[in-house]
Amino acid sequence: MASAALRPLCLCWALGPAAATNIILLLMDDMGWGDLGAFGEPSKETPNLDQMAAEGMLFLDFYTANPLCSPSRAALLTGRLPVRNGFYTTNGHARNAYTPQDIVGGIPDSELLLPELLKKAGYTNKIIGKWHLGHQPQFHPLRHGFDEWFGSPNCHFGPYDNRERPNIPLYRDWDMVGRYYEDFKIDLKTGEANLTQLYLQEALDFISKQQASQQPFFLYWAIDATHAPVYASKQFLGTSQRGLYGDAVREIDDSVGKILRHLQQLGISENTFVFFTSDNGAALISAPKQGGSNGPFLCGKQTTFEGGMREPAIAWWPGHIPAGGVSHQLGSVMDLFSTSLSLAGLRPPGDRQIDGIDLLPVILQGKLIDRPIFYYRGNELMAVRAGLYKAHYWTWSNSWEEHNKGIDFCPGQSVAGVTTHTQEEHTYLPLLFHLGRDPGEKYPLSFASEEYQQAMGHISGLVQQHRDTLVPGQPQLNVCDQAVMNWSPPGCEKLGKCLKAPESDPKKCSWPH
């Protein structure tokens, strides 16, 4: 990692004296817009999240920055589109990419992450759960602003044989404390695992410690129970009408309820801003047993249709957010970066393009801020939303090759000319949908209509301005090498769990298409 002297200058200004507000971001994994009762899920099995919504504000038009895990998380923590912060690949056009064990890249030192900036306002920062921004030592979260970590650099894939591929490690701060399936059990047959309970207790203990120290804190609770292979602890197994996936959601709901009650019992709920959302849409390729619901929206994870990008979102801050609020503000996970800085009395860095906006005027005053949403898939701008209109410049679900193998990102939702299995360019005549009348993106507007001409006149200007000013970051997700996998992560010596790495052999990463 570069020395502090080589880090970019942070042009990040304090806004003036104010009581520091604690910040908790609850980021789910592959949870869909339609998975909560407050968003219309018919089984109504999320009473705590529904109560959180009743006491706070629902965001109905809230988006991720990419329909896949790693890029969306990089966007949240930097406030910048993945194409700017380097979390994309140029190995293929419009290819989704992430940080598997053999990825060489990760979050660049040149990027300023939210916890790094919050430190300047005296915050103590903890990440619980999935990091996913690189697993080599230089990408460790404690090198990028976090003070504490309990979790893993990757998702809980496995089990592996520890010969061709190692089981994925979990860390406490700098040290490995075990591996999935070996020390942290996940029963793939029953779905039983105690990880959510461990992550819950970590959160409660951290909150208590920070309250006792009277220090402001940032807690990033990024758990992954709803990512396939889905898991839940024994007490929740078999309790949902929705099967194992519903069991996992119920346990998450119960955990969120306990976190919010803990804040209230400690008397700090009115000084703690809490935001709940997901990293991307539900993974319909795993549904219904291992995946969730995107409600009325088209397709799911991996796509830039609404089901892949629109997320459940709830803001909660007793005494500040009027209860029962519902906002149609176009929001983004990148806004959590700028909003959190505002809560801390800081302005965003002025030496780079920040894509997130401060949502506090929306949350506290009910304002609506005019802004577009850019839908990226890998290195390509696929679609743009402005107001209620969404223009597709490219359409693609996945390739015929994958689809013929049974990999379907849009099961039961084929829309002729829209959910295409070849990459179709519409740059010169975009497909345009009115998401108010047609949230499922089934009925494109007539190219000849006056409505189409007026809407596209506005959107075309936004796209041109965006492209004219875009400076892509160095792509981090191009090169893979089995030698960099977690064979001997820090701390493995203490556990006797260091493994022999193969010879280095860097290659272009091969991504699904």
Side-chain angles (χ1 to χ4, degrees):
M1 178 177 174
S3 68
L6 296 178
R7 294 303 302 274
L9 174 66
C10 172
L11 303 178
C12 186
W13 297 279
L15 294 176
T21 302
N22 303 315
I23 301 162
I24 300 179
L25 302 184
L26 307 170
L27 184 70
M28 302 303 104
D29 203 336
D30 290 5
M31 184 177 281
W33 190 94
D35 276 333
L36 308 183
F39 285 83
E41 204 289 314
S43 68
K44 301 295 182 185
E45 293 180 342
T46 53
N48 294 289
L49 284 161
D50 298 348
Q51 182 65 26
M52 180 184 181
E55 295 173 0
M57 176 175 282
L58 274 178
F59 281 82
L60 299 179
D61 300 81
F62 196 84
Y63 290 88
T64 183
N66 186 275
L68 200 63
C69 40
S70 296
S72 69
R73 293 160 192 266
L76 186 159
L77 290 173
T78 63
R80 287 154 56 80
L81 286 164
V83 73
R84 296 193 207 275
N85 64 38
F87 264 64
Y88 69 102
T89 182
T90 54
N91 288 356
H93 177 252
R95 296 289 173 85
N96 288 319
Y98 65 108
T99 55
Q101 287 199 77
D102 57 349
I103 198 76
V104 172
I107 193 69
D109 282 346
S110 57
E111 291 298 318
L112 290 169
L113 274 62
L114 176 59
E116 294 181 79
L117 301 178
L118 291 177
K119 270 183 173 294
K120 299 178 184 301
Y123 279 70
T124 300
N125 309 307
K126 179 159 186 167
I127 171 174
I128 298 173
K130 179 174 165 182
W131 169 236
H132 232 207
L133 300 190
H135 61 81
Q136 295 196 72
Q138 66 266 37
F139 306 127
H140 193 290
L142 270 61
R143 292 188 184 274
H144 292 273
F146 285 102
D147 300 291
E148 299 180 24
W149 181 27
F150 179 73
S152 177
N154 281 290
C155 199
H156 55 280
F157 294 126
Y160 301 114
D161 62 9
N162 283 334
R163 290 187 296 274
E164 290 190 12
R165 188 172 293 268
N167 279 314
I168 294 168
L170 283 87
Y171 284 79
R172 179 171 296 284
D173 301 333
W174 292 106
D175 292 331
M176 171 181 160
V177 292
R179 295 183 187 270
Y180 285 127
Y181 300 97
E182 298 173 26
D183 311 281
F184 295 87
K185 304 295 185 182
I186 302 172
D187 189 323
L188 293 182
K189 184 176 181 180
T190 65
E192 182 179 348
N194 201 44
L195 287 162
T196 300
Q197 292 303 306
L198 294 178
Y199 294 148
L200 168 61
Q201 194 59 50
E202 285 287 322
L204 299 178
D205 290 348
F206 176 72
I207 292 168
S208 294
K209 182 175 70 173
Q210 293 310 120
Q211 190 272 340
S213 70
Q214 298 294 300
Q215 281 187 290
F217 65 84
F218 167 47
L219 173 59
Y220 178 46
W221 200 63
I223 67 171
D224 67 353
T226 44
H227 189 298
V230 172
Y231 62 78
S233 62
K234 188 173 184 178
Q235 70 197 78
F236 288 92
L237 289 177
T239 64
S240 171
Q241 297 179 42
R242 303 177 65 192
L244 178 58
Y245 183 86
D247 296 341
V249 172
R250 289 201 66 201
E251 184 169 15
I252 288 170
D253 175 77
D254 181 76
S255 299
V256 171
K258 287 175 178 173
I259 290 171
L260 299 186
R261 286 193 294 276
H262 192 56
L263 294 170
Q264 292 168 328
Q265 290 163 0
L266 292 176
I268 58 173
S269 59
E270 293 192 3
N271 195 38
T272 305
F273 175 84
V274 184
F275 200 96
F276 178 96
T277 190
S278 180
D279 63 345
N280 46 248
L284 300 187
I285 53 173
S286 305
K289 293 184 179 180
Q290 296 272 327
S293 167
N294 294 316
F297 303 122
L298 185 62
C299 301
K301 177 182 178 178
Q302 299 265 13
T303 78
T304 49
F305 301 111
E306 290 298 287
M309 297 281 287
R310 203 187 297 204
E311 310 306 326
I314 305 170
W316 185 85
W317 192 11
H320 301 271
I321 300 176
V326 176
S327 178
H328 291 280
Q329 172 67 46
L330 299 190
S332 166
V333 293
M334 296 179 291
D335 300 341
L336 300 177
F337 174 89
S338 299
T339 304
S340 296
L341 291 179
S342 182
L343 287 164
L346 301 169
R347 289 195 179 102
D351 63 340
R352 64 199 62 209
Q353 178 67 44
I354 299 296
D355 297 294
I357 64 172
D358 180 4
L359 291 176
L360 288 185
V362 177
I363 293 169
L364 301 180
Q365 302 165 33
K367 293 185 177 180
L368 288 177
I369 301 169
D370 186 23
R371 62 90 69 90
I373 295 292
F374 297 107
Y375 301 67
Y376 269 88
R377 182 167 172 166
N379 60 348
E380 184 58 72
L381 178 62
M382 303 288 284
V384 180
R385 179 175 175 183
L388 288 169
Y389 293 98
K390 180 179 178 181
H392 287 270
Y393 287 78
W394 288 84
T395 53
W396 190 32
S397 55
N398 65 333
S399 68
W400 278 116
E401 179 185 351
E402 284 198 333
H403 188 261
N404 291 337
K405 293 177 182 177
I407 300 171
D408 192 350
F409 297 157
C410 312
Q413 292 185 304
S414 177
V415 180
V418 179
T419 56
T420 54
H421 292 292
T422 55
Q423 294 186 18
E424 299 294 332
E425 185 174 7
H426 310 279
T427 300
Y428 300 105
L429 205 58
L431 298 182
L432 185 66
F433 296 88
H434 186 287
L435 295 179
R437 300 191 297 263
D438 178 24
E441 298 171 280
K442 294 185 175 79
Y443 309 104
L445 273 63
S446 168
F447 300 135
S449 68
E450 183 178 350
E451 182 180 12
Y452 180 94
Q453 299 297 327
Q454 288 183 350
M456 283 310 307
H458 175 56
I459 292 174
S460 296
L462 295 173
V463 170
Q464 190 62 51
Q465 181 182 25
H466 174 69
R467 287 179 169 155
D468 287 347
T469 58
L470 178 65
V471 180
Q474 185 70 27
Q476 295 294 308
L477 308 181
N478 279 350
V479 180
C480 289
D481 185 350
Q482 286 194 316
V484 305
M485 293 197 287
N486 291 288
W487 302 101
S488 299
C492 68
E493 298 89 350
K494 297 177 185 177
L495 300 174
K497 289 183 177 291
C498 299
L499 303 170
K500 182 176 174 56
E503 293 295 322
S504 179
D505 184 21
K507 298 177 181 177
K508 280 189 175 182
C509 301
S510 178
W511 300 113
H513 56 281

